[in-house]
Amino acid sequence: MRCPLLLLTVLIAFHPASADSLGLEKEIRSLGKQPELAKERDTLVAISAKEAARPIIVRPPTLAVLLERYPESMKYQTKPAHQARLTDEEWERFALSLSDANLNGILAERLPRMAAAHVFSKDERILKHIVEQLTEMAAWKPLERPGTNSARQNLKYAPWLGTGWAVRGITGTLDILPPEALPAGLRETLVANLEEEIRGIRNAWKEQKLWYTREESRYSNQWVVPNEALVLASIFNGLGKHRDDYEAGVKNLLKSLNAQGEKGEFTEGGSYAALTMNSFLSAAEAAAAQGDRRLIDHPYLKRFPIWYVHHVQPGGRIINAFDSKVDNLDPNLLSRFVSAVRSPEALWMIRRDKRLGYGTKLGGLSARAVTGLSPQEPPLFAAYDIAARINWRSSWDDATAAGFWMRGGHASDSHDHQDRGHVSFSIGEREILIEAGLASYGIPEHPTHYRSVAAHNVLQVGNAAPDDLKGPVMKASGQILDSAHRSAPITVERMDASGGAASVDMSRCYDSTEKWVRHVTWDKKGVSVKDEVVLKEPDHVTFRWHLAAAADAAVIVNDGSLIINGIEVDYDGDSPVTATVEPMPGFDARLKKSVEHACVVLRSEKPVKSLTLNSRIRLKP
C-alpha cells in the first residue's frame, strides 16, 4: 500500500507573508529573542565565527585544480570501477559535477546558519565571509555543472543534488539577512541566476534527457532535490511571476511523497532518506510560510520519523540495509521533524540518545524552541511493506536488549543490495549475525563482495567464489535487481517483545530458483532458520552466515555444529551439507573502514534439485 494520492486539483487559497519570503527571517528573529536559547545561540555563533576565519569555497575550473585545492577530492584522481569506461573528458565532467554537488551540500547548511549567527551577534567577520562566498557563487552558472548523470551526453544543464543544495543555501541566506547587509547588485545578480535555474529545471523535466525525468522516478532523491530548488527559487523570486513553476515543483514533490510507504518507509533506505527528507522539509516549510500546507501536512511526514528511529538496534548500531554506512541517525534531521512536523517520536529519540542531542545546526535551535510537545516512545517493532523489512528489538535498553532485523523486498526498492531474506541479530553491545554490505560503488570488490549475495546471509545458487560473481555467473548465482525480481513478501506469524516468527518468500528473486522460502523464529537469545529451496536445475546450494567474529578466530568443530568466538552455529539438512569458515570483508560503520570477519559457509556436498536446511545461531550458553 502507498500513501493515498492527495487531491492535487483542488484550488488552494494562498495568503503569502510576502512575495519573496521563505519564512526564515521571521523564525530567526524569534529565536534571537528567547533568553533560554542564549547558550545554544552562542555555540552556533562560535562555530560560524570559526568557519568565517577560513577561506571561502572556490569552484575549481578543472580536475587538476580540484585535486590540488581540495585534498579530500583525491578520490577523483583515478576513475573508480563503476566509471572506468568513461573517456578522460567524460570523467573530468563527471568529477567536477560531483565535486560541485559535494561543495554545495556543505554550503546549503553552512550559509543560512552563518546568516543567522550574524543576525544574533552582528559579527562583521561572519558577514564578510558570507558576502565573499555569495559573490563567488554568483559566478557559478549553472550552480552545478552537468556531468554526474550526463557525463556522456555533454548537456549544458542537468539539475541534480548540487542544484537543490545551492539554491537552498542561497535563498535561505538571502531570506535571513536584511537587504542592506549585502553590497549593491549582489542580490540582484543571484536573483537573476535563480531565474536561469528555474528555467533549466522546468526544461529538464520537459525534455526528459535525464534518467530520473525520463523514467519519472518520483521515489528517488534525484527527483526530489531539484524540485526543492524549483519550489524555493519560485517563492524567493516571487510567486506573482513563478506560480506555475512553483505548482510544478509542489506537485512533483507530492508525487514523491505518495510514492513512499504508508508506514513511513523510504524506498531508497535510511541514508538516502535522510538526504531527501531535508529537501522535503525545506520545501514544505517554505510553502507553509506562503499559506500552502499541502506538503507539510502530508501524512507521510508524520510517519517517517518512526520508520527512521526503527533503524536503531541495540548497542546504538544502525541497520545498514540498502546503500548505507552511517553510524548514527542525523540529529539535525530529527530536530527538523520536531520543529516542522512536531514529531513526538523524533523528540523522544533526541532526548534518549546523548550521542545525538539536538545537534549544533539551525534545526537544533528551532527544535529547542518548540513548546507543548511531549516525547513519545516508538513501538519496539514493525513490519514494513515498502523497503520491506522487519525491525525488532526486545526493549529500548541498549545494554541488555536483543535486536533482530530481516529483509524482504519490494518492486520499488532502489539503492538496494542482493539481500532479500537477510537476517541480522545482536544482544546489547554484542553483534552476532551481521550484514557485510557497503555503499561504495567505486571499489572493484563492491559488486562481488559487498552488494552481492556473498555479502549477506542469504542463498547463493552454485558454488562460485565471491571473486567469480560477475556477468553470467552472477546472473545464475544471485538475486536479480530489477522490478520483476525484487519482490520478496514478508508474512509475520507473531511478533512481541519476547520474539517472533515470520517467513519471507524469495522465489521470484533468482533466475535459477523455483522456490526459496525462509522461515525464521527468534527470541532474546538467538534465531532459528528453516530454508526450503527448489532449483530449476540441479546445482550446489550455498548459504552464508556472516558472524561478528575475527577472521582468524579459533573454530571448534562438532558434528553439525561450529563454535566461533562464542557464537554457535548448528545446522542440518535433508541432503549432506559441508561447513567451512572463510574470511570475508565487511564494512564497520563505527570504525569507518572494512574489516575482515569469519563467515560460515554451508553448502550441499553435491548438486541437488532441492534442499531443506535448518540453522540455529546463538551465543553458546
Side-chain angles (χ1 to χ4, degrees):
M1 295 290 292
R2 301 296 182 93
C3 294
L5 185 66
L6 295 185
L7 296 177
L8 302 181
T9 56
V10 175
L11 293 177
I12 305 294
F14 293 95
H15 305 286
S18 67
D20 59 357
S21 172
L22 304 180
L24 293 175
E25 186 271 337
K26 181 180 178 181
E27 179 184 1
I28 297 305
R29 197 167 62 239
S30 173
L31 293 173
K33 294 178 180 178
Q34 299 182 42
E36 65 274 17
L37 298 178
K39 180 180 177 182
E40 286 73 26
R41 287 195 300 269
D42 289 346
T43 299
L44 187 144
V45 168
I47 293 172
S48 298
K50 186 175 181 180
E51 289 173 340
R54 300 171 184 160
I56 64 168
I57 289 174
V58 177
R59 170 175 283 184
T62 65
L63 180 56
V65 175
L66 171 64
L67 295 173
E68 177 185 357
R69 186 173 293 159
Y70 298 106
E72 66 273 16
S73 67
M74 290 306 292
K75 59 187 175 183
Y76 303 128
Q77 191 169 21
T78 57
K79 300 171 194 174
H82 70 307
Q83 300 292 348
R85 295 182 180 179
L86 294 180
T87 66
D88 290 346
E89 180 183 355
E90 291 167 345
W91 168 241
E92 180 162 19
R93 204 152 48 229
F94 178 96
L96 290 175
S97 178
L98 187 56
S99 169
D100 288 352
N102 290 334
L103 295 175
N104 289 348
I106 295 170
L107 295 171
E109 184 278 325
R110 178 184 292 174
L111 280 177
R113 172 174 45 76
M114 293 183 79
H118 171 67
V119 171
F120 296 150
S121 67
K122 303 300 186 285
D123 188 328
E124 291 301 314
R125 296 169 300 174
I126 295 176
L127 179 60
K128 180 176 182 292
H129 184 98
I130 294 171
V131 170
E132 290 178 355
Q133 186 65 72
L134 289 175
T135 301
E136 163 68 17
M137 296 178 77
W140 297 355
K141 300 178 183 179
L143 288 170
E144 180 183 355
R145 287 169 286 189
T148 307
N149 274 299
S150 58
R152 289 178 169 164
Q153 294 171 277
N154 194 18
L155 301 177
K156 292 183 178 180
Y157 188 84
W160 199 58
L161 307 183
T163 306
W165 293 335
V167 169
R168 188 194 308 169
I170 291 169
T171 57
T173 303
L174 297 182
D175 201 52
I176 291 169
L177 290 175
E180 64 271 15
L182 300 180
L186 178 55
R187 182 186 180 97
E188 290 73 18
T189 299
L190 291 167
V191 167
N193 291 351
L194 290 176
E195 289 290 320
E196 294 300 317
E197 299 290 336
I198 292 171
R199 278 192 286 272
I201 296 169
R202 292 302 305 275
N203 287 336
W205 255 255
K206 291 174 184 175
E207 295 169 355
Q208 298 188 344
K209 294 180 179 179
L210 303 170
W211 76 267
Y212 43 93
T213 59
R214 185 171 56 254
E215 298 178 14
E216 195 163 299
S217 298
R218 57 187 69 183
Y219 62 85
S220 170
N221 67 90
Q222 299 178 60
W223 173 280
V224 172
V225 183
N227 278 292
E228 172 203 7
L230 184 59
V231 169
L232 295 180
S234 296
I235 293 174
F236 189 80
N237 278 21
L239 289 177
K241 181 179 181 180
H242 292 290
R243 175 70 67 185
D244 289 345
D245 303 316
Y246 169 82
E247 281 295 325
V250 169
K251 289 179 180 180
N252 280 338
L253 292 177
L254 286 169
K255 287 179 181 179
S256 186
L257 289 169
N258 292 331
Q260 310 303 334
E262 67 173 11
K263 297 177 184 177
E265 312 100 305
F266 190 78
T267 62
E268 296 180 315
S271 288
Y272 281 94
L275 177 159
T276 310
M277 285 302 118
N278 274 299
S279 287
F280 275 130
L281 293 178
S282 292
E285 289 185 288
Q290 298 297 312
D292 180 1
R293 299 190 61 85
R294 285 175 292 176
L295 294 171
I296 204 72
D297 287 341
H298 195 287
Y300 176 78
L301 295 182
K302 292 286 188 184
R303 297 163 184 158
F304 172 83
I306 300 173
W307 176 80
Y308 188 52
V309 169
H310 272 171
H311 282 73
V312 180
Q313 286 280 281
R317 287 177 294 272
I318 304 300
I319 290 175
N320 60 327
F322 293 79
D323 283 341
S324 177
K325 53 182 179 181
V326 298
D327 63 350
N328 208 342
L329 304 184
D330 179 359
N332 183 62
L333 181 61
L334 290 169
S335 291
R336 295 193 70 189
F337 269 96
V338 170
S339 59
V341 185
R342 295 182 63 84
S343 166
E345 293 85 7
L347 180 61
W348 179 87
M349 191 65 203
I350 286 170
R351 293 184 178 180
R352 170 190 178 271
D353 191 336
K354 291 182 172 57
R355 291 192 304 153
L356 280 173
Y358 288 89
T360 56
K361 301 178 182 179
L362 267 181
L365 194 63
S366 297
R368 290 177 184 274
V370 170
T371 59
L373 180 66
S374 299
Q376 181 174 315
E377 180 180 298
L380 292 170
F381 43 82
Y384 292 105
D385 301 321
I386 308 297
R389 191 169 66 230
I390 288 176
N391 297 352
W392 176 92
R393 53 187 298 156
S394 59
S395 77
W396 284 106
D397 183 345
D398 271 347
T400 62
F404 167 88
W405 63 272
M406 180 172 74
R407 264 284 277 152
H410 191 274
S412 67
D413 288 351
S414 181
H415 279 288
D416 51 337
H417 294 191
Q418 295 183 20
D419 65 350
R420 276 77 181 155
H422 172 86
V423 170
S424 281
F425 187 77
S426 60
I427 300 175
E429 289 286 342
R430 180 72 188 270
E431 286 188 287
I432 299 172
L433 284 174
I434 64 173
E435 208 258 38
L438 168 65
S440 183
Y441 314 129
I443 60 176
E445 300 84 7
H446 178 260
T448 56
H449 289 71
Y450 292 102
R451 197 186 188 204
S452 76
V453 288
H456 304 88
N457 299 323
V458 299
L459 166 70
Q460 175 185 318
V461 178
N463 59 357
D467 284 335
D468 298 326
L469 293 175
K470 303 170 186 175
V473 175
M474 174 71 87
K475 190 173 187 293
S477 303
Q479 299 177 4
I480 310 300
L481 297 181
D482 61 28
S483 58
H485 293 83
R486 278 187 162 110
S487 180
I490 295 173
T491 301
V492 177
E493 299 165 30
R494 61 176 177 83
M495 189 158 54
D496 57 31
S498 66
S503 61
V504 56
D505 187 347
M506 281 71 59
S507 302
R508 290 189 291 175
C509 297
Y510 297 74
D511 268 358
S512 304
T513 60
E514 290 182 4
K515 175 184 179 181
W516 173 33
V517 177
R518 168 164 280 184
H519 306 270
V520 184
T521 59
W522 70 95
D523 56 24
K524 298 176 185 180
K525 297 180 179 179
V527 297
S528 296
V529 180
K530 178 181 180 181
D531 289 301
E532 297 177 298
V533 180
V534 179
L535 303 180
K536 293 178 180 177
E537 300 292 339
D539 205 337
H540 287 91
V541 173
T542 300
F543 283 96
R544 289 181 177 85
W545 294 114
H546 292 265
L547 305 182
D552 59 356
V555 181
I556 301 173
V557 180
N558 298 310
D559 185 24
S561 174
L562 299 173
I563 301 173
I564 307 170
N565 193 31
I567 302 170
E568 185 172 28
V569 180
D570 299 331
Y571 60 93
D572 69 85
D574 61 357
S575 293
V577 172
T578 64
T580 59
V581 180
E582 301 176 3
M584 282 290 289
F587 183 75
D588 189 311
R590 291 183 171 178
L591 297 177
K592 299 188 184 303
K593 65 178 183 179
S594 188
V595 179
E596 279 202 335
H597 61 275
C599 179
V600 173
V601 181
L602 304 178
R603 181 176 288 127
S604 60
E605 281 190 359
K606 59 183 181 180
V608 295
K609 183 71 166 60
S610 65
L611 176 69
T612 298
L613 178 67
N614 294 290
S615 307
R616 188 181 73 163
I617 304 95
R618 61 187 57 228
L619 291 179
K620 184 171 176 58

